[in-house]
Amino acid sequence: MSWVAQQPHIIWTLRDGSSSLGMIKGYLPHGATVAAAMSGAAARRSLLVPVTGCVFVRESIIYSSIESAPAAPAPNANVLRAGVLMFATAAPGQLGAVALPGLLPGLLALEGCAAGLDIDTAHPDVMALVAHLLTGAYSNPFGHELTAVIAGYMQERQ
Amino acid sequence: MAFNTRPTAQLTYGVVDGTGSKGTMQFDIPYGTLAAAALAAADVLRPLIQTVTGCVITSQSISYSSVDNNPGLPTVDSRIERKGVLQFLTAAGKTVTYSIPGILSANVKQSGGIDEDEVSMALLINGIKDVGVIFVDSNGVDITAYKGGYERYRASTKGMLPRERKPDPDILPE
């Protein structure tokens, strides 16, 4: 198992007169910060706008990596079976959700009316994951920090 | 017309399960998180996920986006199928190609070549050659020289075709 960082890149998304979307991709040097990349992107966008009749609707700075030598997955891992963890957030009344495709069946509750459906949040492996998600590094899509797990259940997808 | 950052960056993992099927999982990270801190958190999260899912994580990306929620109108006859292809050389002699959708005809010569003397095109070419944060090749080598450019057309995908291509129900035989 070895993770290899790819070249960071920027993708601009453009819309033309028929509402079709196109894109322009450019690479950034390793170590480019988001702030520097966004600043550079704005400067370069101002040069691109005059040469195209399309409008710029989105720009994304992307840091990607790949596993060059992946291990074998567990034979019973199944991405169609997803565990969902629900979180309270720092904003009252706002929730956060994390979906985990392939959650192992051994992490489901064994007792009670929701046995086989609810995630056993007291399981050490689940607790370790939840503890990391509550370190302040993660949020819901509105930027509200995850503060406590309030529920966990299994859902099946087609 | 102003770009606004999204509230969060997206950490996305690509996973493979025991049957070889692929899936993705996504986490939101507050936008103000430094990329280095987000990458460090992602390194910690990966093994924790692999423990609870049994899937293998094969790829990871962290995406910081900003969007223009009120963009202006594109030129009426602009079409992304019409591309301006610009080619550059890096300091290592490698060719780098950029494709600019909807290139304006004012930037294209009658021959189909890119008019690098046109003011806005000259500014863009110089901007790409400049040493800066954006625009290096896929190995991180700086771009140093303009090689050439031309116009090309890409085939429209089904999704790009207009609705009007479908027959008018009024003229269909009963």
Side-chain angles (χ1 to χ4, degrees), chain A residues 7-71:
Chain A
Q7 201 69 30
H9 58 277
I10 180 169
I11 292 179
W12 282 287
T13 305
L14 299 85
R15 185 187 301 139
D16 72 8
S18 69
S19 296
S20 294
L21 297 175
M23 68 172 212
I24 301 173
K25 180 178 180 180
Y27 289 99
L28 291 70
H30 277 300
T33 64
V34 177
M38 280 295 183
S39 172
R44 295 302 187 270
R45 178 160 32 90
S46 71
L47 299 174
L48 285 161
V49 166
V51 303
T52 173
C54 302
V55 291
F56 286 68
V57 295
R58 182 187 185 99
E59 62 193 11
S60 299
I61 309 291
I62 299 166
Y63 300 85
S64 55
S65 348
I66 56 167
E67 171 60 86
S68 61

Side-chain angles (χ1 to χ4, degrees), chain B residues 52-77:
Chain B
V52 299
T53 66
C55 295
V56 169
I57 298 176
T58 55
S59 64
Q60 164 191 306
S61 72
I62 300 176
S63 175
Y64 292 79
S65 299
S66 62
V67 294
D68 190 341
N69 293 324
N70 188 24
L73 292 173
T75 305
V76 173
D77 59 353

